[in-house]
Amino acid sequence: MKLAKNYEPNQYEADIYDLWEGSEAFTPKKGSHKDSFTIVMPPPNANANLHIGMGLTVAIQDAVIRHRRLKGKHALYLPGADHAGFETQSVYEKHLAKDGKSRFDFSRDELYAQIWDFVDENRGIFEKQVRQMGASCDWSRYTFTLDQKIIDQAYKTFKKMWDEGLIYRSERLVNYCTLHGTGFADIEVEHKEVNGKIWSIRYPLTDGSGEIIVATTRPETMLGDTAVAVHPKDPRYKDMVGKTVRLPLTHREIPIIADEYVDKGFGTGAVKITPAHDFNDSEVGKRHDLPVVQVISHGGLINHNAPEEYQNMDVSAARIRVVENLQKQDFLVETKDHLHSVGHCYKCGTVIEPMLKQQWFLDMKPLATEAIKVLKAKKITFYPDSKRQQLITYLENLWDWNLSRQIAWGVPIPAFVNIDDNEDWIFCDEVTKEEIEKNGKTYRRDPDVLDTWFTSSSWPYATLSESDQQQFYPNSLMETGGEILQPWVSRMIMLGLYEKGKIPFEEVYIHGYVMAEDGAKMSKSVGNVIDPMPVVEKYGSDAMRMGLISGRSAGVNRGYDNRRVEEARNFCNKIWNIARFVEDKLDQKPLKSFSPKPKTESDHWILHKLTEASDQINKNLENYKLSEAYDVLYHFVWDDFADWYIESAKTAPNAPILAHSLCSILKIAHPFAPFLTETIWQTLHPDDKSLLINQTWPKIGTYSKSKSDDFEKVQKVISEIRHIKTTLQIKKGGLYYIHAPFINLQSNLIKSLARLESVEQVRDGRGLTLISVDEKCWLDIDFESAERFSKQLAGQLGDIEKQIEILQSRLKNSTYVDKAPKDLVRESKDKLENLKKEHDLLSTQIAQYKGDL
RNA sequence: GGGUGAUUAGCUCAGUUGGCUAGAGCACCUCGUUUACACCGAGGGGGUCGGGGGUUCGAAUCCCUCAUCACCCACCA
């Protein structure tokens, strides 16, 4: 089989993936933990097609996995999908809305079943797309977050925490979205700056001795006020503490209390306290044992605890009415504009209402403390390291975690309450039943489900069987985007330590977001989301992967750049054509059957360069410098191998060296361009069942360093001549054809390239031609370009003189000679010597050139 | 309010403990009718590394300060 002229990725990619998947290549062999390498894929949401960010995820993770596999590790890349509880349900609700329905038209079980089908369909699409991107995952270990083993693990953990008193049930303020009808964890609330107003309101003292003026941004909540607070050391209000005020509009009598929480400098220094609808107020209320008056319902309407006038109004309407009435009754002192931060539902943008609710909470203190310890001890390496500190800060300020969600799509909370007293809770994992009997009593299931992060936080071990855990836990690398550092990475660390007593992974690599091409964040509502699949179809999966990796470093957000993908596509084609050239010289023998025997200087040089490149790429990949590794590969293959070695090898190709080099290039390029390299490998091993994916990283080649250096000297000469006028070219039959102005240089060059003893000269009006005696090689000298070059040479001479000056003054500086590292000083001296020589050479050349003309 | 990161060529970005004339890709200009490749080859132009100050023999790199832009966190009514 011959390689076609251009690389057309979509002709090969699907077949190649099947070839891999059909073999055992993706399944790691059994072995020790030390000899293994694991990445458990952060499960993408199973509710939608993949976007380009997943392309980057796969590109990075798969490159690392393939590299470790080539290095001889038992590499496991475990794929998965996330049911993404609330996320998925809200996507599905949008589907329902199109048909004019809402989730409240269905029972929980019906809804659950419908979403299950919906997700099942999408999961197929997503799995196919991950395959198209070339991810070398072990599909036999594929895990969905609603698989029984994950649920079992979640219940096991839940029970353990329950038994140890870490999980508790409590009526507390939670972040509540009145539109979605569910509570959230703190991390899910999005704070936005909002231009609001701040109102100052007169609260008259009941004893008629005056008034106190409070400032608030939410006047409607005053319907539920149960106190006014001032700072204990505030002289303005010292005498008022202990008195009571008559709450305007509702006319309830509430006390004035003193609490450290109040900031004397803000507003009027007096704060209204609404324990039912504000987190701070709730804390103050607890300290002072204040009553809690809830005036906003879970649907976001004012309830029966408020005066009738306001009942069933929504919050914003109530606010307007309250302000109007305050003004009418002369309680309003002033209104000012006020910029402040307000929590919003991250999905629908509804203002989050702090709402009193019975929920399950997890006490985070003990878990966080352990996690902070391992983070501070650097037991886990972070790329970039700044993310580690960020996590510590987060963990240090963590509040208890609200585990309850009032949605259908998720893992039911395995808790049942005694229907007689509504207080006696028992743990039971028979969650398919609504009610159970125990000890002659009836218990009803908690209708809520667990926060999706609670189940997915066991991901590093729950995905693995018992025996797998021996080999693959802790995982080697957790590679993920920065947006889930806090909600997910932190919790995996806490739960891993809690359940397994070990860190869940040894290294964490955080990639930045792929932004839209203009640098803005991609979002569905803006409509600038980039779909990776058309990119894969147009340029190939390899080009997309390399294009995303190229020039991108850990933790940094960057826009998608199609030029990078085109660059990578061209690179794929370059490798392809290198393979075609080499294929011609192989004489039908399999690529890997050659052992290299370097003959010429260039042979030694390319083996040296190859060794250097494979070494650097290896080191960069080990340190997760994907972009740098790719860069080394790109320039080695293109500049060194294609532009220098192949060009110089055209006259007398050394097949074993070409074959060996290509063989190595395929291996070191494989992590970046798996499809392309495997396609070439398969084509060049027609009668062989071996797979490139299973080969081993290239061994260090043997070469002579001095001969390699010799070739670099030749390169330098050639470069100089090219600089004069372009063409070092090979005619049919392998003739050199060179334009150049300098006889001496030319003669040397011809000799070094063609190893000739003598040359003949022919001169005409336009220039001078040098021809080797056997007429296999000649140089054509063009006076016109020589003229141009003379100016450049003069410039060059000037540059060298400047450098000499700098070096000389540096070396005259005694502090430099004393303080700078000795080898640096020596280097400077050597360099000065070389520059001087170069200067002399150039001067003579210029003189000679004038003679030539 | 607190924190983090960024600012380098026309564009998108590299530049790991301070040390070769600051790099790449794309774009631009000149040249080339080459059986590996025009998804190509050779060459070229283009940057006072955001401004200012400091430390140092030496700063894109360390410190201070100012400016602009991102992002994250947060219970100041």
Side-chain angles (χ1 to χ4, degrees):
Chain A
M1 191 165 84
K2 283 281 259 183
L3 294 168
K5 188 174 174 195
N6 277 326
Y7 178 57
E8 300 292 346
N10 37 27
Q11 283 182 20
Y12 308 100
E13 290 186 351
D15 291 343
I16 290 290
Y17 198 89
D18 289 346
L19 187 66
W20 288 328
E21 202 178 352
S23 77
E24 297 292 297
F26 295 163
T27 310
K29 292 197 183 68
K30 287 219 178 304
S32 66
H33 182 261
K34 197 173 124 274
D35 296 328
S36 305
F37 188 88
T38 330
I39 297 178
V40 176
M41 180 190 288
N45 292 356
N47 61 36
N49 289 355
L50 299 180
H51 74 107
I52 195 89
M54 190 60 195
L56 177 64
T57 302
V58 168
I60 294 170
Q61 294 174 0
D62 197 49
V64 171
I65 278 287
R66 285 176 188 271
H67 169 250
R68 302 302 197 272
R69 197 182 281 124
L70 290 170
K71 291 291 287 181
K73 295 269 187 186
H74 308 300
L76 172 63
Y77 187 12
L78 195 149
D82 188 3
H83 72 283
F86 172 66
E87 292 272 344
T88 305
Q89 178 166 318
S90 50
V91 170
Y92 188 72
E93 279 183 64
K94 279 185 194 156
H95 276 255
L96 284 179
K98 279 182 198 155
D99 304 332
K101 291 184 178 152
S102 96
R103 70 165 159 124
F104 300 108
D105 297 334
F106 305 96
S107 75
R108 282 194 174 221
D109 291 342
E110 282 169 349
L111 196 63
Y112 187 92
Q114 287 176 25
I115 301 178
W116 181 276
D117 292 341
F118 171 73
V119 165
D120 214 36
E121 200 175 303
N122 279 302
R123 253 207 293 167
I125 298 169
F126 132 82
E127 285 166 31
K128 190 176 155 226
Q129 292 181 342
V130 170
R131 283 181 166 87
Q132 276 178 270
M133 290 175 181
S136 58
C137 339
D138 183 357
W139 293 100
S140 72
R141 286 178 165 90
Y142 176 87
T143 309
F144 183 49
T145 48
L146 291 180
D147 284 353
Q148 198 55 45
K149 61 179 175 183
I150 303 295
I151 295 175
D152 288 347
Q153 180 62 58
Y155 287 174
K156 198 177 146 203
T157 305
F158 191 94
K159 180 159 187 338
K160 188 177 166 194
M161 290 173 162
W162 172 317
D163 290 344
E164 292 178 7
L166 289 175
I167 284 182
Y168 62 95
R169 190 167 173 82
S170 164
E171 181 171 61
R172 293 207 346 210
L173 280 182
V174 296
N175 305 294
Y176 195 84
C177 172
T178 51
L179 186 77
H180 280 110
T182 183
F184 289 116
D186 296 333
I187 192 92
E188 289 167 308
V189 178
E190 198 179 327
H191 289 84
K192 288 186 213 164
E193 292 278 296
V194 170
N195 274 311
K197 294 203 185 315
I198 187 161
W199 288 269
S200 300
I201 305 165
R202 214 187 304 278
Y203 282 20
L205 293 173
T206 34
D207 64 7
S209 66
E211 59 185 24
I212 188 161
I213 294 170
V214 302
T216 179
T217 54
R218 299 201 55 191
E220 73 280 8
T221 61
M222 71 183 286
L223 301 171
D225 281 0
T226 53
V228 171
V230 296
H231 195 274
K233 287 185 183 148
D234 194 332
R236 290 174 290 178
Y237 303 115
K238 212 176 169 192
D239 298 335
M240 294 191 190
V241 175
K243 292 186 176 179
T244 59
V245 294
R246 179 74 62 193
L247 188 59
L249 308 184
T250 51
H251 313 298
R252 277 189 286 116
E253 185 176 347
I254 58 173
I256 296 173
I257 57 170
D259 195 283
E260 298 273 346
Y261 148 73
V262 180
D263 177 354
K264 284 181 281 187
F266 188 91
T268 58
V271 191
K272 58 191 256 345
I273 299 296
T274 323
H277 298 292
D278 183 282
F279 288 99
N280 293 311
D281 294 6
S282 170
E283 294 299 310
V284 175
K286 274 183 204 159
R287 282 200 285 276
H288 297 270
D289 211 14
L290 296 174
V292 176
V293 178
Q294 186 174 351
V295 291
I296 302 170
S297 73
H298 290 144
L301 304 178
I302 303 297
N303 72 6
H304 59 273
N305 289 330
E308 209 176 332
E309 182 182 358
Y310 309 99
Q311 286 177 22
N312 295 321
M313 294 179 89
D314 80 24
V315 170
S316 49
R319 176 177 302 174
I320 294 167
R321 180 69 62 86
V322 164
V323 172
E324 273 173 15
N325 288 342
L326 286 172
Q327 191 147 28
K328 268 186 225 158
Q329 298 170 32
D330 196 31
F331 288 115
L332 192 63
V333 180
E334 70 171 334
T335 308
K336 276 198 287 194
D337 288 335
H338 182 59
L339 185 69
H340 63 140
S341 169
V342 178
H344 291 73
C345 171
Y346 76 107
K347 208 79 222 168
C348 65
T350 304
V351 173
I352 289 292
E353 205 62 61
M355 202 73 84
L356 215 47
K357 243 187 137 18
Q358 284 280 350
Q359 308 263 274
W360 295 102
F361 291 91
L362 173 58
D363 180 2
M364 300 302 276
K365 265 274 141 27
L367 301 178
T369 309
E370 289 304 307
I372 291 167
K373 260 190 228 163
V374 302
L375 287 174
K376 284 197 171 157
K378 299 197 178 180
K379 295 253 170 72
I380 302 173
T381 312
F382 280 74
Y383 302 89
D385 187 58
S386 57
K387 301 288 175 187
R388 193 176 55 88
Q389 189 52 51
Q390 208 173 308
L391 261 196
I392 293 174
T393 315
Y394 171 73
L395 288 168
E396 281 171 345
N397 299 307
L398 203 52
W399 288 38
D400 287 359
W401 177 8
N402 171 16
L403 297 176
S404 304
R405 292 293 179 280
Q406 291 75 49
I407 58 175
W409 182 237
V411 178
I413 291 176
F416 290 73
V417 67
N418 185 340
I419 57 167
D420 296 325
D421 62 9
N422 249 336
E423 267 177 19
D424 175 24
W425 288 88
I426 58 167
F427 169 89
C428 178
D429 58 8
E430 290 182 67
V431 290
T432 48
K433 296 179 187 157
E434 288 288 332
E435 287 186 353
I436 55 170
E437 301 287 327
K438 210 154 194 180
N439 306 331
K441 291 178 194 155
T442 306
Y443 290 83
R444 184 181 300 127
R445 196 180 85 203
D446 182 347
D448 291 350
V449 301
L450 286 168
D451 181 3
T452 183
W453 295 109
F454 185 81
T455 45
S456 55
S457 294
S458 62
W459 207 237
Y461 50 90
T463 48
L464 299 167
S465 68
E466 281 294 324
S467 62
D468 270 356
Q469 285 184 25
Q470 300 276 324
Q471 188 176 355
F472 299 114
Y473 190 89
N475 305 163
S476 309
L477 175 69
M478 174 48 59
E479 196 285 335
T480 189
E483 76 278 14
I484 48 180
L485 181 71
Q486 278 120 339
W488 198 43
V489 176
S490 71
R491 286 165 182 169
M492 282 191 288
I493 296 172
M494 288 187 279
L495 283 199
L497 290 168
Y498 178 73
E499 273 290 345
K500 296 288 154 191
K502 277 195 250 179
I503 50 168
F505 26 71
E506 286 146 1
E507 299 175 300
V508 176
Y509 181 95
I510 300 292
H511 61 251
Y513 307 111
V514 182
M515 313 295 268
E517 283 185 275
D518 61 359
K521 207 167 183 170
M522 287 196 288
S523 92
K524 275 183 198 152
S525 52
V526 179
N528 59 353
V529 176
I530 297 167
D531 182 354
M533 296 340 275
V535 178
V536 169
E537 271 154 44
K538 186 166 179 198
Y539 298 104
S541 173
D542 295 335
M544 181 198 69
R545 291 167 53 137
M546 291 192 282
L548 287 171
I549 283 177
S550 167
R552 195 181 284 274
S553 48
V556 177
N557 299 343
R558 231 190 78 200
Y560 170 79
D561 189 346
N562 206 57
R563 291 173 309 186
R564 293 280 182 178
V565 177
E566 280 182 6
E567 165 203 331
R569 188 270 316 265
N570 295 352
F571 183 48
C572 288
N573 196 51
K574 193 73 188 176
I575 296 180
W576 182 259
N577 276 291
I578 286 170
R580 287 180 64 215
F581 178 83
V582 175
E583 183 187 27
D584 253 7
K585 320 292 176 216
L586 291 182
D587 204 19
Q588 311 283 329
K589 281 186 237 153
L591 185 67
K592 65 178 177 183
S593 67
F594 292 86
S595 57
K597 293 184 193 75
K599 291 180 196 155
T600 63
E601 288 87 347
S602 60
D603 293 345
H604 285 281
W605 175 77
I606 198 65
L607 291 181
H608 168 61
K609 281 292 188 184
L610 177 61
T611 304
E612 222 173 50
S614 96
D615 197 42
Q616 277 181 37
I617 292 169
N618 181 44
K619 278 193 186 122
N620 282 329
L621 284 176
E622 276 176 355
N623 295 314
Y624 302 103
K625 296 184 175 177
L626 283 287
S627 175
E628 284 90 330
Y630 170 72
D631 204 55
V632 171
L633 175 73
Y634 183 93
H635 287 106
F636 166 70
V637 170
W638 204 309
D639 300 349
D640 294 341
F641 191 66
D643 290 345
W644 276 110
Y645 185 71
I646 287 192
E647 290 308 325
S648 80
K650 275 178 175 169
T651 41
N654 181 338
I657 300 278
L658 286 168
H660 171 79
S661 304
L662 177 60
C663 201
S664 304
I665 286 171
L666 293 180
K667 290 171 186 172
I668 60 181
H670 184 72
F672 303 96
F675 287 112
L676 168 78
T677 50
E678 186 73 76
T679 305
I680 296 171
W681 182 272
Q682 291 304 319
T683 314
L684 299 184
H685 296 96
D687 307 316
D688 186 338
K689 293 242 167 69
S690 72
L691 295 172
L692 177 59
I693 189 176
N694 292 326
Q695 301 302 308
T696 50
W697 195 258
K699 307 241 171 4
I700 306 293
T702 49
Y703 56 87
S704 151
K705 182 76 169 66
S706 66
K707 286 188 180 170
S708 163
D709 288 349
D710 282 348
F711 187 71
E712 290 198 349
K713 282 175 197 155
V714 175
Q715 281 183 321
K716 214 179 158 197
V717 175
I718 294 173
S719 296
E720 269 179 29
I721 290 178
R722 279 176 177 174
H723 187 72
I724 303 161
K725 170 133 193 195
T726 29
T727 37
L728 163 60
Q729 285 162 359
I730 292 82
K731 288 261 183 198
K732 275 182 198 167
L735 296 177
Y736 287 94
Y737 181 83
I738 302 166
H739 287 268
F742 297 109
I743 295 167
N744 277 355
L745 270 178
Q746 291 153 6
S747 308
N748 288 338
L749 181 71
I750 285 200
K751 281 176 194 161
S752 60
L753 284 176
R755 291 175 178 64
L756 296 174
E757 289 307 310
S758 62
V759 291
E760 278 178 35
Q761 297 187 17
V762 179
R763 192 182 270 266
D764 65 22
R766 290 178 50 227
L768 178 73
T769 302
L770 299 185
I771 306 168
S772 68
V773 280
D774 59 357
E775 293 195 348
K776 278 205 167 170
C777 189
W778 75 85
L779 282 161
D780 197 15
I781 295 148
D782 170 9
F783 289 144
E784 206 183 297
S785 52
E787 185 75 44
R788 226 181 301 139
F789 183 56
S790 79
K791 283 170 196 163
Q792 289 180 353
L793 273 192
Q796 241 179 54
L797 197 67
D799 286 347
I800 290 176
E801 278 165 359
K802 250 183 248 166
Q803 282 178 59
I804 289 176
E805 209 174 300
I806 292 167
L807 278 177
Q808 275 175 340
S809 71
R810 187 185 289 175
L811 285 166
K812 271 182 203 156
N813 186 332
S814 56
T815 34
Y816 169 74
V817 178
D818 288 349
K819 289 187 180 176
K822 276 178 189 163
D823 44 346
L824 193 74
V825 177
R826 204 176 308 124
E827 240 174 69
S828 298
K829 281 181 184 164
D830 292 350
K831 208 180 143 197
L832 183 63
E833 288 310 305
N834 289 336
L835 278 173
K836 279 179 178 165
K837 275 183 205 161
E838 210 175 309
H839 183 265
D840 292 346
L841 192 72
L842 205 59
S843 315
T844 38
Q845 278 179 7
I846 288 173
Q848 208 170 19
Y849 157 78
K850 280 176 183 158
D852 282 354
L853 276 181

